[in-house]
Amino acid sequence: MVALSQKLLVTSMEKPSRRSPQLSFDQVFRLASLSSALIVLIVLAGIIGSMIYGGLPAFREFGFGFITSSVWDVQRDQYGAWVAIVGTLTSALIALVIGVPISLGIAIFLTQLCPPWLKRPVSTTIELLAAVPSIIYGMWGLFVFAPLFAQFVQIPVSSIVEGLPVFGTILYARTPSGVGVLTAGIILAIMIIPFIASISRDILDQIPPVLRESAYGIGCTTWEVVRHVLLPQVGVSVIGAIMLGLGRALGETMAVTFVIGNANRLSPSLFDPGSTIASRIANEFNEAIGLQLNALMALGCILFLVTFTVLVIARVLVARVKMR
């Protein structure tokens, strides 16, 4: 009896050994996860390497002047990216100025003020707008929005501001055709609103109800609850949503190509045609050969650098908000 008890005690104190099939499965799972992460890095490195390799002849030929020059002459093989860079940044900035307030307003309305019977239709509409292809936005902007914009905005505004010192330069259309940098910015704003609004709405829905109820309990108004309770809680996530929308605006191609006018000139007026990096690549890539093709690849490198810079700025802003 004593021997049996000692045997059971020794058996219970022994550590259970791991079975080899389970160990093998863990190794396979670990290698598969590592491979998935490495694939992303390899693809990114391949994209960057191919863009740099393709654009290197243009950078060697024109040097830093490729970025600062406004000339784009295919006949003489003279290329400069400044007009496309300015058009890209201007249209994206216009999209953010218009789209961010509207997106946050939609998110706040859906989570705080919207009656239950209206919340589902509005949410579904926002999600449907996010699923519309960009070329549809471009066709609608060119054939529907641009003529209305020229008739009801460009012509009246130009007649009002003509001759004024500042507004007469920024908001004057020499040829009110409806297409231009401002039109492209508005179309981009319409395209990024669903993304920013959907993400902001989901973030606001995740805030614990006790925070809002406590604020209402001490007599806060709806504006005070939103301003001092909700927005500070979701500041980091909202910045991420805005940067996602900005990335969409910077890289958008077809919709902008339809409505920006694709003119290689710098104009102080937002009503005049312009171009972006993505629209220029889309217009000329099929027929480009030689140095022109290298210049377009160099434009792609610059667009990647601009997007990477925006990502770095977003990370810095998020870090500062977290520190606060």
Side-chain angles (χ1 to χ4, degrees):
M1 193 70 180
V2 176
L4 180 60
S5 300
Q6 291 178 350
K7 185 177 180 180
L8 291 175
L9 180 61
V10 171
T11 304
S12 62
M13 293 178 62
E14 291 180 354
K15 293 182 179 180
S17 59
R18 211 170 189 183
R19 292 179 301 175
S20 56
Q22 186 176 358
L23 181 61
S24 177
F25 180 80
D26 288 344
Q27 291 177 346
V28 172
F29 177 74
R30 186 178 296 107
L31 290 176
S33 302
L34 178 61
S35 301
S36 301
L38 291 178
I39 286 174
V40 176
L41 297 178
I42 293 172
V43 171
L44 180 61
I47 293 174
I48 297 174
S50 61
M51 297 298 294
I52 294 176
Y53 178 79
L56 194 59
F59 288 120
R60 287 177 177 172
E61 178 71 21
F62 305 108
F64 188 74
F66 178 77
I67 299 177
T68 59
S69 175
S70 301
V71 178
W72 191 274
D73 192 342
V74 179
Q75 302 297 328
R76 296 186 301 166
D77 264 349
Q78 296 293 322
Y79 304 103
W82 184 244
V83 175
I85 294 174
V86 172
T88 301
L89 297 178
T90 304
S91 59
L93 180 61
I94 293 172
L96 286 185
V97 171
I98 297 175
V100 170
I102 296 177
S103 301
L104 295 180
I106 293 173
I108 293 171
F109 174 76
L110 289 175
T111 56
Q112 306 299 318
L113 304 172
C114 184
W117 62 270
L118 186 60
K119 187 173 183 179
R120 179 62 64 85
V122 175
S123 300
T124 304
T125 303
I126 295 297
E127 294 170 359
L128 288 175
L129 286 176
V132 175
S134 60
I135 194 171
I136 302 300
Y137 282 108
M139 294 176 63
W140 174 81
L142 179 63
F143 297 114
V144 178
F145 180 78
L148 297 176
F149 189 72
Q151 181 179 357
F152 295 104
V153 177
Q154 286 188 345
I155 295 177
V157 171
S158 298
S159 62
I160 293 173
V161 304
E162 185 177 4
L164 296 180
V166 178
F167 294 100
T169 303
I170 300 177
L171 298 176
Y172 179 74
R174 290 175 293 181
T175 54
S177 60
V179 298
V181 177
L182 182 58
T183 305
I186 295 174
I187 297 300
L188 286 175
I190 297 174
M191 295 179 65
I192 68 175
I193 282 174
F195 293 94
I196 302 177
S198 298
I199 296 174
S200 301
R201 178 201 61 191
D202 294 339
I203 294 168
L204 290 173
D205 278 336
Q206 294 177 4
I207 295 179
V210 65
L211 295 178
R212 287 174 286 189
E213 295 171 358
S214 300
Y216 285 124
I218 62 175
C220 292
T221 62
T222 303
W223 162 249
E224 291 173 339
V225 171
V226 172
R227 172 66 182 83
H228 300 289
V229 178
L230 300 184
L231 291 183
Q233 292 290 326
V234 299
V236 175
S237 301
V238 169
I239 291 176
I242 294 173
M243 290 303 122
L244 178 63
L246 178 58
R248 173 79 187 271
L250 288 173
E252 181 52 46
T253 304
M254 295 309 302
V256 175
T257 304
F258 273 93
V259 299
I260 200 170
N262 302 304
N264 185 59
R265 66 168 182 261
L266 285 177
S267 175
S269 176
L270 297 177
F271 288 155
D272 286 344
S275 66
T276 64
I277 295 176
S279 67
R280 178 158 297 171
I281 294 174
N283 281 323
E284 301 185 12
F285 198 81
N286 280 338
E287 301 176 355
I289 56 174
L291 191 58
Q292 182 185 5
L293 179 60
N294 298 131
L296 295 178
M297 297 290 283
L299 283 178
C301 294
I302 295 174
L303 181 59
F304 179 84
L305 180 62
V306 171
T307 307
F308 180 77
T309 303
V310 169
L311 178 62
V312 171
I313 295 174
R315 292 291 184 181
V316 172
L317 291 175
V318 170
R320 294 185 62 181
V321 172
K322 286 184 177 179
M323 290 176 62
R324 291 179 182 177

